[in-house]
Every structure is written in structure tokens, then in C-alpha cells.
Amino acid sequence: MRRSPDAADDLVTDATAPPRGRGLAVAAIAVVAGVLVLYLVLISAESDNGVLQVGLVVLYFLVPIACLAGTLMLDSASARGIMGSGAAGFLLSFSVLAVFSVGYPLLIGAALTIAWVVRSRPERAGSSPIPTIAAFVVGAILPWSVLLA
């Protein structure tokens, strides 16, 4: 059945419908968790690792996993977009920081997260994009600021 191009129901989302792009968010979580396991295997092979350094890097992995889990559990489409954008910025920046070890697989996770943010954009059609953009920027700055501090 064809609809007219000016149909207003494209902007209205069903509140009971599952969020768009759940598979992308789950795939991004799986990639980041898999890279975390890979990192722990690589780091356990080295003998001169400080507990603080390993703990900080594990925390770096847990932040985007928690944000992506929030995209699956939150009810508000705007809050899901903010969490997903923050995770996308964080993963993109973190993949640059870790380019010589596990950065390339993290880049795949960042790409999946960015694809999720774009895919779920129609759900946030009525809300302002500024919080989503701000979350991306804060997420991108966070790994560098913690590293430099």
C-alpha cells in the first residue's frame, strides 16, 4: 500500500514499538566486550603491567558498554540518543588512542554505534539535536582528558 509523501505518520513513532537499530547496539556491545577480552588476554601475556593502568583501561571499555546498554534499556528516545552518541564519540576517540594495540576492532564498534545513532534518528525527530551532539563531543574528549590528567 502506497502512502502519500506528505504523510504525517512517518514522524510519529509507536510508544510500544521496540527502539530502532537494537541489533546494531547489541553488535557494538559484543565487539567492545570481545575487544576487552582480547585486551585482557594480551595484557596478561606481559609481566610488567601495573594494576592501576590495567584498571583504567578496563574502565575505558566499561564506559561505552554501559552507555550502549543504556540505549537498550532507557524509555526516552532522546536519552537513548544521548547515550548512544556519547558511546560513539568515546569509542571513536578511544580507538585512536589504542590504534597500536586494539584500536582497529574498537573502530568497528565505533562505526556500529554511529550507524545505530543514525538509524535511530527518526525516533528523536521532535527533539533538539544539541544534547546528542554535545554528548558526542564530551564522549570524544573524555578519553583524552583522563589520559592527560
Side-chain angles (χ1 to χ4, degrees):
M1 181 169 152
R2 292 185 85 188
R3 291 187 282 170
S4 66
D6 59 343
D9 58 347
D10 286 339
L11 297 177
V12 178
T13 57
D14 184 13
T16 60
R20 296 174 145 222
R22 288 179 67 91
L24 290 169
V26 171
I29 290 172
V31 167
V32 175
V35 174
L36 173 59
V37 170
L38 175 68
Y39 172 76
L40 291 174
V41 167
L42 289 174
I43 209 72
S44 68
E46 297 178 9
S47 61
D48 59 342
N49 296 317
V51 174
L52 183 63
Q53 178 187 8
V54 173
L56 181 65
V57 174
V58 168
L59 181 65
Y60 272 20
F61 281 101
L62 293 180
V63 167
I65 289 174
C67 287
L68 287 166
T71 64
L72 297 173
M73 294 186 292
L74 293 174
D75 291 332
S76 168
S78 179
R80 285 193 306 266
I82 290 169
M83 296 292 279
S85 289
F90 192 94
L91 282 171
L92 194 59
S93 185
F94 186 35
S95 66
V96 170
L97 279 174
V99 73
F100 293 113
S101 59
V102 292
Y104 292 116
L106 282 176
L107 194 56
I108 294 170
L112 288 169
T113 306
I114 291 169
W116 176 87
V117 170
V118 171
R119 173 84 169 100
S120 64
R121 198 169 116 207
E123 293 178 355
R124 301 181 303 277
S127 63
S128 172
I130 293 173
T132 307
I133 295 168
F136 184 86
V137 170
V138 168
I141 292 172
L142 190 62
W144 292 93
S145 63
V146 171
L147 180 72
L148 296 175

